[in-house]
Structures are given as structure tokens and as C-alpha cells.
Amino acid sequence: MKAIFVLMDSLNRNYLSIYGNTWVKTPNIERFAKRSLIFTNHWLGSAPCMPARRDMLTGRLNFLERGWGGFEPYDIPFPTLLRKAGIFTHMETDHYHYFHVGGENYNTCFNTWAFHRGQEHDGYISKVKSIKAPKHLGQWCELYTKNKSLFKTDANYPTPRTFQGAVEWLKNNKDADDYFLWVEAFDPHEPFDTPDEIVDLYNDTWKGEHYDWSGYEEVNEHSEATKHLRKKYAATLTMADKWFGKLLDEIERQNGFEDTLIIFTTDHGHMLGEHGLAGKSKWYAWNQMAHIPLIVHLPKSKYAGEKRNQLSQNIDIMPTILEYFSVKFNNPINGYSLMSILKDNVESKRKTALYGWFGQTVNITDGKYTYFRAAAKKENKPLYQYFLTPTKISHHDLPSKEFFKKCELGKFLPYTDFPVLRSEVENKRSLDQEYSILFDIKNDYEQLNPISDRKIEKKYIELLVKHMKQVDAPREQFKRLGLL
């Protein structure tokens, strides 16, 4: 049996034609979708990058226990279980966070892996002489500018090299069976950078300062700068789509659509002017970030072109893949296999999706309403992180002694016998997430008109509490949110 998992980072589903977009060019995602099932009610769990990957690989929600970080000794990722069952696992990626502080041990759960360097802050090209920053909007990175000196054509960019690496891996293993291939493209993550000829597809007439990398900031949604940023994002997605097409070509050459499960999704979306915002991780969990694409191809292209409207989340990927390979497991998870939904279109076991960023609002949806629950007090306490692998978002440095000052060791997590470290986190409530808000997303998908209905809000508070208990949320999270 064979399975291929394809992840494009920071993919806003509203930029895909299969979800209604009319101007962004993604012909190969369209081509893949025609042979597959499209999920319309799929949601993230934890965000951003590394928390999302921990969710997908372990089937458990990360964001109520910890922010950014590597695998923990008590985690049981599904590639490890596949390996033990005799399934060969391989990763092709240009996602450099796996190889910096804060991304420890993810790649090592695979038999083999390949890293295609050069994205964002990856310390790849070593040139001592500094480069002067150009006049720019948003962000600019000297490291990326040095890396970009190697990108003469689109084939030289890291995401195209990632897809080409996957093509070569398939060629080298064309007669193999019993494998799982993880193909992870960093694009269309920022910076939104491509060769000019791809941007030209979008008739971009921007003559202003350099701008391909927004800050996490407020922007004018209708400004020329934001229109330019969206076109740069679209071009980056189009480049990734082109090289995804080359992967599809090789799968087709090997007759892989007959015998291979293929899953396509993202970790989270990205704000590109919606709600007057750019970026992610700082705002309410708007649908542009939380409601994400999922396309699944079954062997022999069964049910091709059908839609599945059942509620699903990225934590459901782990049990889905294990069921496909008939690999048993008994570790407690929060996800549900999607195989019966895929094959028989049955009702989902999942009644609500719980999602968010560590220490920020905790959010819930049933596909009809979304409810953002804010911290009860601006101090945003009590808030603890639980871990054994002490990590942070960093390209170089390990945590300092300050990180460990308030740590205590104990059996704080009910789903593992491991004693873990618990550390209090100082993280005041963001001014951008000051209030709990309720939206009717069936009639207000863009979440522009919050509703005030105590009866409905009470229902979603009850659903929130119920779901948080189901996933073993630490008790202090209920207190932080004013639910105790």
C-alpha cells in the first residue's frame, strides 16, 4: 500500500478555485481535485507552523498545552508507528523550521528525509559582507536576500526543488510498495517571492517600495500596496502549483492514481488584507486562517469530484493514515479517522472543531457558528506550558535560564505517565483579542457582523467546555477563559 501527503504552508483556501476563487491560477490543484474528494468543512487545530505539525503527526491538540516547540519524548507520531509496521517513510521539504531550534525531532520520526534549503530565515548562503536593506514595506530579510542569489529560475527556488525531489524519490522507488511519502512545501508562506514572469501573470503594476513580505500588522485592504501583496501571494501559489503538477505527472506515469492514497492540505491560512490585517498568529482566528482546504484522493479515484461536508480537522490525518495502512495503535488521541467518511459518506463523529494559538482565544465551531472565547482578564492568567523538550522560536539559541525559573516537575498531563515540566507563561491578553465574539458563519462567512444572542452564546460556551474536557485541556485554561 502507498500513501502520499502533500502540505503547502499558509494556504488561504479562498485563493483556490475549488473553493470559489475566480482569478488565481492553480490548474494542477484543480486537476488533482477532479480525481479526488473535496472537504468543505475542514479546520485547523493548533497554529502556527510547528504546533500544527505536532497536531497532524500525533493526532493530539497542541495549543492548550504549549506553544511552539519540537516533539516531546511522550509523543507518538504516526510515521514511527508506520515504520514499526514495516512501512517505509520519507520526507521531502523546504520547511526550514524542522532544522532550527524549536523544531526538534520531527524529521527523525521518518526513515529518511531531504531538506531543500533557502527559505525565509534559513542560514544557508554564508556571505560575510552585509547587504543594505532596500526601501521596503513590511519585512525584509538579509539572509533570504543572500539565499535568493542562487534562484536564477523558478526551478532553483526551494519549493520547486522540494517537489522535484519528491519526483526523483518516486522514480528511484518506482517498483516499491508499502511506503508513505510526506511532501511539504514552504510556499506560499511569506516571503511571497517568485520570478517576475510569474508575477506578470497577474498584471501587477506596483511601482512602490519593495513589498513581498508583510508584517503582522494592520493594513488598508483596498490600498494598492495590499493589492500588490495579494498578487505576489497568488504568484507564489501559482509557482508551487506548477511544481505540484510535476509530482502529479510522475504519479500518473507510475499509474499511482490506481493504488495510492493522496492527501493535500495546509497547516493554516494567512491574512491578506481581510479585516484590515496581514499575517497570522496575532489576531482572532478568522476563517481566512482557520478554515482550511483538504482534498483526498482514494485509490482508483473512487468518488472523484464528490464533496464531503462533514466536520474535520488536521488532527484527523493521523488516524486516517494509520487506518488506511491497517496499523493498530492504543495511544490516546483527539482525532478521528476519516476513512468511513471518505468511503461511505457517513456522519462525522466530530460534532465540533476546537482550534487556536497558545495563550490566545480558544475557538470552537460546528460549521454553523464560530465562537471566539477571550481571556477573562488582561493579565491572561493562569497560563502554563507543559514540556520536556525546552524549545522556543529561534534560529540559533536555546532557551536561557529565565525559561526554567518557574518550572516544576510532575505528572500534570493525564494522557501520559511521563512526568513533565510545567512553567508559568507571561503573556498578556492582546488588545486585538479583548472580547469573546460569536458569528453566524452560514450567513456571515466573512465574520463581519458579530451577533449578540445570550441563548446561542450559552450553547457554544457549553460546547466549548465539553470539547475542552474531551481533549484533556489543563484545568487552568478553563480559569483563564472565565469558565470556572
Side-chain angles (χ1 to χ4, degrees):
M1 301 183 76
K2 307 171 187 177
I4 301 173
F5 178 76
V6 180
L7 174 67
M8 288 188 186
D9 198 297
S10 302
L11 180 53
N12 185 324
R13 81 195 291 272
N14 297 330
Y15 280 67
L16 296 178
S17 60
I18 61 170
Y19 294 109
N21 185 279
T22 58
W23 66 277
V24 180
K25 297 170 174 58
T26 54
N28 291 297
I29 295 174
E30 292 173 29
R31 164 188 166 197
F32 175 63
K34 287 176 181 176
R35 306 185 75 149
S36 309
L37 295 101
I38 301 171
F39 280 68
T40 64
N41 206 5
H42 188 64
W43 298 80
L44 59 74
S46 307
C49 297
M50 301 322 294
R53 283 149 185 78
R54 190 176 180 220
D55 276 15
M56 287 184 272
L57 287 159
T58 67
R60 292 197 62 87
L61 282 174
N62 174 98
F63 83 100
L64 293 169
E65 297 173 6
R66 195 193 66 181
W68 192 280
F71 270 152
E72 298 290 355
Y74 47 89
D75 285 339
I76 306 175
F78 74 80
T80 298
L81 296 174
L82 291 178
R83 283 168 39 216
K84 289 180 178 179
I87 309 300
F88 192 93
T89 63
H90 177 71
M91 172 195 278
E92 293 277 341
T93 187
D94 59 332
H95 192 106
Y96 74 105
H97 288 303
Y98 285 120
F99 306 97
H100 279 103
V101 172
E104 291 85 353
N105 308 319
Y106 286 87
N107 60 301
T108 57
C109 70
F110 295 85
N111 288 91
T112 55
W113 58 89
F115 175 30
H116 302 275
R117 300 196 63 178
Q119 287 284 15
E120 202 185 30
H121 299 290
D122 180 18
Y124 179 32
I125 300 303
S126 185
K127 292 184 177 180
V128 175
K129 189 175 180 179
S130 62
I131 299 173
K132 184 179 179 181
K135 290 184 177 180
H136 63 277
L137 302 178
Q139 299 183 65
W140 176 83
C141 175
E142 182 179 1
L143 269 175
Y144 180 74
T145 304
K146 290 179 178 179
N147 293 342
K148 186 182 173 180
S149 66
L150 293 184
F151 309 159
K152 306 303 182 184
T153 69
D154 63 319
N156 303 135
Y157 280 71
T159 281
R161 283 189 274 126
T162 295
F163 281 117
Q164 188 59 37
V167 168
E168 296 303 321
W169 190 91
L170 287 175
K171 287 179 178 179
N172 292 336
N173 294 279
K174 64 181 180 180
D175 298 321
D177 197 5
D178 293 332
Y179 66 71
F180 172 77
L181 173 61
W182 179 290
V183 185
E184 181 175 340
F186 195 64
D187 289 337
H189 191 288
E190 68 268 32
F192 311 138
D193 178 42
T194 65
D196 290 342
E197 59 266 24
I198 300 180
V199 183
D200 290 344
L201 295 173
Y202 292 98
N203 192 30
D204 185 35
T205 58
W206 175 250
K207 301 298 182 184
E209 296 176 355
H210 180 85
Y211 189 35
D212 61 7
W213 193 338
S214 70
Y216 292 2
E217 59 195 2
E218 295 182 2
V219 297
N220 181 341
E221 179 177 0
H222 304 291
S223 71
E224 291 303 312
T226 299
K227 292 176 184 177
H228 165 68
L229 189 71
R230 287 174 167 173
K231 289 178 180 179
K232 294 286 284 185
Y233 176 88
T236 306
L237 174 55
T238 294
M239 182 174 71
D241 176 86
K242 171 185 173 180
W243 288 84
F244 173 53
K246 295 182 185 297
L247 175 63
L248 297 179
D249 291 343
E250 184 59 31
I251 293 171
E252 195 148 29
R253 274 193 291 270
Q254 296 191 20
N255 207 28
F257 286 109
E258 289 298 302
D259 62 0
T260 308
L261 173 73
I262 309 168
I263 299 175
F264 176 98
T265 190
T266 188
D267 48 358
H268 49 71
H270 193 94
M271 304 299 289
L272 291 152
E274 304 92 344
H275 295 275
L277 305 171
K280 52 185 178 280
S281 304
K282 185 178 176 182
W283 324 109
Y284 285 109
W286 301 112
N287 282 347
Q288 290 83 1
M289 294 186 290
H291 192 198
I292 58 177
L294 175 65
I295 314 168
V296 182
H297 171 270
L298 290 173
K300 299 186 183 299
S301 300
K302 289 187 70 174
Y303 314 115
E306 290 189 14
K307 291 187 176 180
R308 294 291 183 263
N309 301 316
Q310 294 91 331
L311 201 65
S312 60
Q313 286 191 267
N314 269 351
I315 49 174
D316 301 330
I317 288 168
M318 180 259 204
T320 301
I321 291 171
L322 291 177
E323 182 177 349
Y324 172 74
F325 281 106
S326 300
V327 174
K328 304 292 184 183
F329 64 97
N330 57 16
N331 46 301
I333 65 170
N334 306 140
Y336 301 100
S337 173
L338 301 175
M339 290 307 299
S340 59
I341 293 175
L342 288 163
K343 292 179 176 179
D344 302 318
N345 202 16
V346 301
E347 185 177 344
S348 176
K349 293 179 182 178
R350 181 174 300 288
K351 305 307 177 188
T352 52
L354 188 72
Y355 56 95
W357 280 251
F358 176 71
Q360 300 185 36
T361 59
V362 177
N363 316 286
I364 193 164
T365 187
D366 58 1
K368 300 174 184 176
Y369 288 83
T370 55
Y371 180 57
F372 302 154
R373 182 73 181 193
K377 298 179 180 179
K378 66 180 180 180
E379 290 77 15
N380 198 22
K381 291 185 176 182
L383 179 62
Y384 294 92
Q385 59 181 343
Y386 299 83
F387 61 93
L388 280 175
T389 304
T391 57
K392 61 177 184 176
I393 299 178
S394 174
H395 308 305
H396 300 286
D397 299 323
L398 290 167
S400 68
K401 65 180 180 182
E402 297 298 319
F403 185 89
F404 300 95
K405 259 191 173 179
K406 297 182 180 179
C407 284
E408 52 184 330
L409 184 68
K411 291 189 176 180
F412 298 119
L413 299 178
Y415 61 87
T416 179
D417 290 332
F418 273 74
V420 300
L421 289 166
R422 180 174 73 177
S423 175
E424 188 173 4
V425 177
E426 297 292 335
N427 182 25
K428 287 188 177 181
R429 183 182 64 195
S430 168
L431 293 176
D432 302 299
Q433 299 180 15
E434 193 171 356
Y435 306 104
S436 299
I437 314 179
L438 178 69
F439 293 96
D440 174 359
I441 60 171
K442 284 294 183 183
N443 297 303
D444 178 26
Y445 180 79
E446 300 300 324
Q447 298 168 301
L448 299 176
N449 302 296
I451 61 175
S452 179
D453 187 310
R454 290 186 177 181
K455 183 178 180 181
I456 297 176
E457 184 174 11
K458 182 175 183 292
K459 173 188 174 182
Y460 284 87
I461 290 173
E462 291 172 352
L463 287 172
L464 178 66
V465 170
K466 180 180 179 181
H467 199 144
M468 288 177 66
K469 289 179 178 178
Q470 288 174 347
V471 299
D472 301 316
R475 181 174 174 80
E476 73 273 3
Q477 286 281 0
F478 294 89
K479 188 173 182 180
R480 179 179 76 90
L481 299 172
L483 298 173
L484 279 180

